[in-house]
């Protein structure tokens, strides 16, 4: 049932990851850290850091047909960005869709920070990527983002055909907090009237607020980036109160996973959230859901946004996109 690739763990980062950190430090850039910055400073740092990661000439390096639409969200307008694969003629044949949710702990980042990743996914999956500019916490908290995810799916189903999208071939995907939303959307689509999702792509997701795991013990000090302390803070911003909820809509690792479509799960080997993905794969196996789990041993959290300077990160994203292509492009 599962297709699992789990290499031997040595806890050594890819040399290009180390070089990337040194280059960023010399440029005076640091990843966002809302525990040591104001929220506005952290969001600005995230945008500037991802400009550095993506490169200054991204549209020329990865050309794509990019359009934006606005639909009704649960409490106001919801912006969607459609990234069409390059070189695909608009001949009336609808293309499959990957509805994508960016990472950032529900607090930082945007569809702009993830621009290079979105373009790579469109290029190598053959699907139109529908990136969702969902609301950030703490200004908007759970379950608001779950409602926005469902609104994006409903827009694709009801209006996507007018934009060359195939409402019968829809996948959901996301990284980190976005993977939480993507898995939640798959659960909602399973229980909603209408076409179910065809596939789910999950990159190093945050699926439950459990910090008593081996990966948190190994990597929670932040030696490779993300820290357990920061994860606790992100959950508090998203959920409010103590940042703990047993509601499977907030922590989808706790949900009944039966009836889900096939999944591709990419875990980062040097990530305090690594075990969220490994535990999810175990639960999917118990539920007899087809899935592929790939552990990218030498990569840290957020590797999908490091595809320009880190070759193995690009290879991991292309592998994930190929899973989408094989599932949707028939």
């Amino acid at each position: 049932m599962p297709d699992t690739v789990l290499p031997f763990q040595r806890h050594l980062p890819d040399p290009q990851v180390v070089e990337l950190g040194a280059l960023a430090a010399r440029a005076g850039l640091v990843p966002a850290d809302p525990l040591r910055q104001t929220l506005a400073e952290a969001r600005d740092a995230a945008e500037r850091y991802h400009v550095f990661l993506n490169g200054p000439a991204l549209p020329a390096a990865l050309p794509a047909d990019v359009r934006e639409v606005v639909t009704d969200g649960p409490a106001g307008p919801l912006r969607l960005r459609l990234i069409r694969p390059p070189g695909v003629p608009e001949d009336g044949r609808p293309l499959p869709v990957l509805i994508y949710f960016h990472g950032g702990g529900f607090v930082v980042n945007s569809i702009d920070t993830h621009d290079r990743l979105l373009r790579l996914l469109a290029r190598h999956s053959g699907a139109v990527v529908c990136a969702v500019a969902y609301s950030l916490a703490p200004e908007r908290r759970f379950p608001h983002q779950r409602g926005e995810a469902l609104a994006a799916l409903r827009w694709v189903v009801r209006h996507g055909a007018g934009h060359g999208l195939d409402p019968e071939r829809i996948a959901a995907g996301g990284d980190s907090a976005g993977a939480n939303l993507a898995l939640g959307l798959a659960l909602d689509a399973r229980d909603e009237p209408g076409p179910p999702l065809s596939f789910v792509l999950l990159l190093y997701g945050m699926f439950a607020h459990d910090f008593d795991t081996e990966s948190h013990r190994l990597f929670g000090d932040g030696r490779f980036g993300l820290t357990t302390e920061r994860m606790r803070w992100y959950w508090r911003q998203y959920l409010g109160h103590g940042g703990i909820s047993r509601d499977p809509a907030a922590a989808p690792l706790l949900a009944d996973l039966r009836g889900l479509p096939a999944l591709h799960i990419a875990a980062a080997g040097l990530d305090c959230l690594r075990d969220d993905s490994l535990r999810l794969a175990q639960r999917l196996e118990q539920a007899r859901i087809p899935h592929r789990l790939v552990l990218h041993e030498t990569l840290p959290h957020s590797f999908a946004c490091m595809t320009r300077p880190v070759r193995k990160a690009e290879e991991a994203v292309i592998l994930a996109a190929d899973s989408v292509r094989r599932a949707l492009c028939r």
Side-chain angles (χ1 to χ4, degrees):
M1 176 76 66
D3 180 3
T4 305
V5 181
L6 296 177
F8 175 70
Q9 274 284 325
R10 293 174 293 173
H11 306 156
L12 297 175
D14 183 87
Q16 289 185 315
V17 172
V18 178
E19 182 181 359
L20 172 62
L23 287 172
R26 286 199 293 270
L29 293 168
V30 294
D33 187 353
L35 273 69
R36 291 159 182 80
Q37 301 165 313
T38 67
L39 186 55
E41 289 170 343
R43 287 174 175 167
D44 180 65
E47 297 290 331
R48 288 186 287 108
Y49 191 73
H50 281 82
V51 168
F52 164 75
L53 292 177
N54 286 333
L58 179 58
L62 287 172
D65 178 3
V66 180
R67 308 172 186 177
E68 293 202 358
V69 298
V70 176
T71 187
D72 292 329
L78 176 64
R79 186 163 57 100
L80 309 175
R81 180 174 293 173
L82 306 178
I83 300 99
R84 186 180 177 89
V88 178
E90 295 194 43
D91 56 3
R93 296 167 54 190
L95 291 178
V97 189
L98 172 62
I99 302 175
Y100 195 87
F101 305 92
H102 67 80
F106 299 107
V107 176
V108 299
N109 295 341
S110 66
I111 56 178
D112 292 325
T113 61
H114 283 53
D115 192 21
R116 182 180 181 88
L117 170 59
L118 300 172
R119 289 168 182 258
L120 275 176
L121 288 171
R123 174 180 292 252
H124 292 283
S125 70
V128 175
V129 175
C130 175
V132 183
Y134 62 86
S135 300
L136 297 180
E139 293 89 341
R140 293 283 189 180
R141 288 188 162 129
F142 170 83
H144 184 84
Q145 291 82 359
R146 282 288 294 262
E148 290 180 321
L150 195 55
L153 174 61
R154 288 170 176 164
W155 180 87
V156 171
V157 171
R158 296 170 183 170
H159 306 289
H163 296 264
L165 311 182
D166 186 348
E168 299 295 327
R169 291 185 292 163
I170 305 174
D175 60 285
S176 194
N180 179 305
L181 294 176
L183 181 54
L185 181 59
L187 293 165
D188 286 340
R190 175 197 64 186
D191 300 333
E192 276 262 312
L197 294 182
S198 301
F199 193 71
V200 182
L201 171 64
L202 304 174
L203 308 179
Y204 43 82
M206 53 181 285
F207 300 125
H209 33 69
D210 181 1
F211 309 106
D212 186 24
T213 65
E214 182 185 42
S215 59
H216 273 289
R217 290 191 292 272
L218 286 172
F219 310 120
D221 59 2
R223 73 186 75 175
F224 300 115
L226 186 62
T227 69
T228 298
E229 182 186 19
R230 202 180 306 164
M231 283 307 310
R232 292 183 188 275
W233 187 87
Y234 283 140
W235 277 110
R236 289 197 298 271
Q237 307 315 301
Y238 181 50
L239 298 176
H241 308 296
I244 296 175
S245 172
R246 302 300 295 176
D247 186 344
L253 184 63
L254 308 177
D256 179 356
L257 303 177
R258 290 174 295 180
L260 286 179
L263 304 91
H264 179 105
I265 306 168
L270 306 177
D271 181 7
C272 62
L273 293 186
R274 180 200 66 187
D275 290 358
D276 280 41
S277 293
L278 303 190
R279 293 164 67 199
L280 175 63
Q282 291 174 345
R283 293 219 49 230
L284 290 168
E285 185 171 1
Q286 293 167 358
R288 303 186 63 79
I289 302 299
H291 63 280
R292 184 182 193 189
L293 168 66
V294 183
L295 177 63
H296 298 283
E297 179 186 13
T298 63
L299 297 179
H301 192 79
S302 296
F303 69 73
C305 291
M306 303 175 183
T307 56
R308 182 178 64 92
V310 179
R311 179 178 53 83
K312 285 189 177 178
E314 183 176 46
E315 292 173 352
V317 169
I318 292 173
L319 178 66
D322 185 65
S323 291
V324 177
R325 180 187 59 78
R326 288 185 283 109
L328 298 185
C329 295
R330 54 182 185 269

